Amino acid sequence: MFVFFLRRLLVAVPTLILISIFVFLLQQLLPGDPVLAMAGEDRDLATLAALRERYGLNETLPVQYWVWISAVLQGDFGTSIRSGEPILDLILQKLPVTLQLAAMSLAFAMLIGIPMGIVSAVNKGTKIDLAANVIALSGLSIPNFWLGIMLILLVSVRWQLFPASGYVPPSEDFWQSIRTMLMPSFVLGTGLAAALMRHTRSSMLEVLRQDYVRTARAKGLTERRVVLRHAFRNALTPIVTLTALLFGELVAGAVLTEQIFTIPGFGKLIVDAVFNRDYAVVQGVVLVTAFGFIFMNLLADMAYVLLNPRLRHAR
Amino acid sequence: MAGSGSALLSVSGLGLSLGEKGPPFLRDVAFDLQGGETLCIVGESGCGKSMTAVALMGLLPPALSRNLKGRMVFEGEDLSLRDNDRLRALRGRRIAMIFQEPMSSLNPVFRIGDQIGEAWECHNGSGGRAKALEMLERVGIPDPEGRLNDYPHQLSGGMRQRVMIAMALVNDPALVIADEPTTALDVTVQSQILDLMRDMQRRRGMGMVLITHDLGVVAQIATRVAVMYAGEIVEHGTVEAIFSDPQHPYTIGLMASVPPISGPRQRLTVIPGRVPLPSALRPGCRFSDRCPFATPVCATPPPARIFDNGHVALCHHTPVESLAEAAAWA
Ligand SMILES: Nc1ncnc2c1ncn2[C@@H]1O[C@H](COP(=O)(O)OP(=O)(O)O)[C@@H](O)[C@H]1O
Ligand code: SF4
Ligand SMILES: [Mg+2]
């Protein structure tokens, strides 16, 4: 099993290299010249040339890549062209905000999606199942921005229950932090909840047909125990895998959600960076996100093995 | 015969169809079983044997159990009342079931010790692990202590079936329903498992309903035999009567398709045609499209002909008069 994880880890390395190359090349495709953006009004050729020289923009692409990636590997993502701050600091500052949003959204999605999936699978073909599916379909098809804006208008503006925007770190005021993040994570979580619900449902339907579920019933176990222990434990594997893979969707959703609720997180960082043509920041953010995605994939693989005795005991 | 008060299990008029007027899977299935007896239900695939077993366990899917007709009285208690809590309390404790596929009938993610222990604990509270160990010993699994922590995939098919038997018998049930318990196993393992089941049954005086399509197994283990065809019991009697004096053309056909154990190997005779699907059943005798003795009268429902010792056959033309006619099968 250890060997399996090691091998899986080694496979991740070339993936990471490819992604870093891709991220690096991406900047070439972005419209606009960063030097022009930096120079502002001061556009004489000498200044531009000096800036190009300073940021190594005259070197060939492979050299530029090498310089960049060596620095990144030492934790130096460069400095923001806009603010002059080290990019690593920016990322470390914004990452916890987005991680909190992602974690709360995921928790919300699991809390809603998984029980709903189980209930609708157990009641397949009944009105309960139909209702759950209609709700899930609405969850999937309501756009986040619309839901976010409606929530802000109703819950924040009219009823004044939750704040409409901003961010409070949990270290400062834990409950206020949760309260502020509640609406954004609801908005970001609905789509995920729907996806999880449908996935849980089909996974449970598959498992409930299995012979060992019939055996569990033949023992005289309560239906509750049959479903929650014997069936769900087997249905869990694909659910966990999907949850880890939803991470990408989560980050994409976070970008939009952070805009709606003006949350100073990762999403806002990347949007601002793109609009400011702050290439180094974009690269850093995308790289960290890709790394996170690969890490989640790795976690999913591990969970898959750990949940499955057949694989756990294999060499 | 069906309906006598002292029987361990008494089934009468059992019928099952898909929907109110849907095609019947089972029709008028009836038999009695005394403690210590083994009733073998035989018939080709698709005759409704498993359906009967699942109905007895009260494990039919709701869409089907809604249309279940007839009475099943077990230890004086009417199972057909469909009191779910009561049925659940009987399942695994007084009535146990052994399934055909030992490969897929154990839960792959739990240790076998826990799976057996759970069957004990859900009716008795605690002490499942000790009980599991005791049962693994009894069903002849080597190194039972070590096997307790194994997962199903670590065991061979024969060992898994032993685990299933251990699980089924952990609560000392009065009735065991075994649905083709050896069909999925190697021939050598088959006889070991059958010996084990017969041994456990004798020691505990259980009643057993054994479903099989292997007449060799029937000859070894049965007290009485019910021959099923297309959802009906077409012949029913003691094992001696069924083997020495079969009356129903379908039974005779089944007998003829058993390869002789000794002597020169002959061509395996099988009954031409196949079991009709419930949706394709016609009125009258359900076997008529495959029966060499069929006459126009067979288009009407056949009567139950009664012989000695509760031997019954469902056919217009029993008793089969001449062996020459029976030879039409060869
Ligand atoms: N889940 C099901 N849905 C509909 N029909 C079924 C189902 N399972 C079995 N049947 C039908 O019910 C009949 C009896 O099946 P079964 O009891 O499994 O037969 P046996 O165990 O004798 O091989 C067959 O005609 C089969 O096609
Ligand atoms: S009733 Fe007729 S068709 Fe049916 S088994 Fe008897 S002889 Fe054959
Ligand atoms: Mg069957």
Side-chain angles (χ1 to χ4, degrees), chain A residues 4-5 8-9 11-13 15-16 19 237 240-249 288-306:
Chain A
F4 169 83
F5 287 143
R8 200 57 198 73
L9 216 62
V11 171
V13 171
T15 317
L16 270 173
I19 287 176
T237 315
V240 167
T241 310
L242 176 86
T243 307
L245 296 183
L246 282 175
F247 179 76
E249 209 171 304
V288 168
T289 311
F291 181 79
F293 191 69
I294 288 177
F295 179 71
M296 292 304 283
N297 266 284
L298 217 59
L299 276 189
D301 281 354
M302 289 191 190
Y304 189 78
V305 171
L306 288 177

Side-chain angles (χ1 to χ4, degrees), chain B residues 50 100 179-180:
Chain B
S50 297
Q100 176 173 350
D179 188 358
E180 312 213 23

Side-chain angles (χ1 to χ4, degrees), chain B residues 97-277:
Chain B
M97 184 152 180
I98 300 167
F99 298 96
Q100 176 173 350
E101 291 291 340
M103 297 299 166
S104 54
S105 292
L106 289 166
N107 196 320
V109 303
F110 297 125
R111 298 173 197 279
I112 59 165
D114 294 339
Q115 297 193 48
I116 301 171
E118 182 184 40
W120 169 263
E121 286 183 356
C122 79
H123 296 291
N124 301 283
S126 64
R129 204 161 172 85
K131 204 69 193 169
L133 181 63
E134 178 196 326
M135 288 311 291
L136 285 183
E137 262 164 33
R138 280 214 213 163
V139 296
I141 288 187
D143 181 24
E145 209 137 352
R147 297 285 80 78
L148 273 182
N149 289 326
D150 278 1
Y151 288 92
H153 74 269
Q154 293 169 284
L155 304 177
S156 69
M159 286 297 148
R160 285 189 224 186
Q161 199 60 303
R162 284 176 194 265
V163 170
M164 286 298 294
I165 293 172
M167 194 152 83
L169 302 190
V170 69
N171 289 305
D172 236 327
L175 172 65
V176 176
I177 300 166
D179 188 358
E180 312 213 23
T182 59
T183 306
L185 303 175
D186 290 344
V187 182
T188 47
V189 183
Q190 286 191 0
S191 60
Q192 290 170 14
I193 294 292
L194 274 180
D195 286 346
L196 172 67
M197 288 179 49
R198 195 160 36 167
D199 183 49
M200 300 285 268
Q201 181 201 14
R202 284 211 186 118
R203 267 196 247 170
R204 292 163 179 237
M206 297 180 305
M208 182 151 80
V209 175
L210 177 69
I211 293 169
T212 179
H213 54 241
D214 183 341
L215 287 172
V217 170
V218 178
Q220 270 184 60
I221 206 168
T223 322
R224 281 182 307 114
V225 182
V227 180
M228 229 174 155
Y229 185 78
E232 286 179 328
I233 293 182
V234 291
E235 185 163 7
H236 184 180
T238 63
V239 65
E240 295 81 14
I242 298 290
F243 275 84
S244 64
D245 187 25
Q247 290 300 328
H248 194 280
Y250 180 62
T251 313
I252 297 170
L254 281 182
M255 296 287 181
S257 63
V258 178
I261 293 163
S262 58
R265 209 168 161 74
Q266 292 171 331
R267 189 175 59 89
L268 184 71
T269 322
V270 287
I271 309 167
R274 50 199 299 182
V275 185
L277 290 174

Side-chain angles (χ1 to χ4, degrees), chain B residues 25 44-51 277-278:
Chain B
F25 293 103
E44 292 161 288
S45 267
C47 281
K49 307 185 298 292
S50 297
M51 205 72 102
L277 290 174

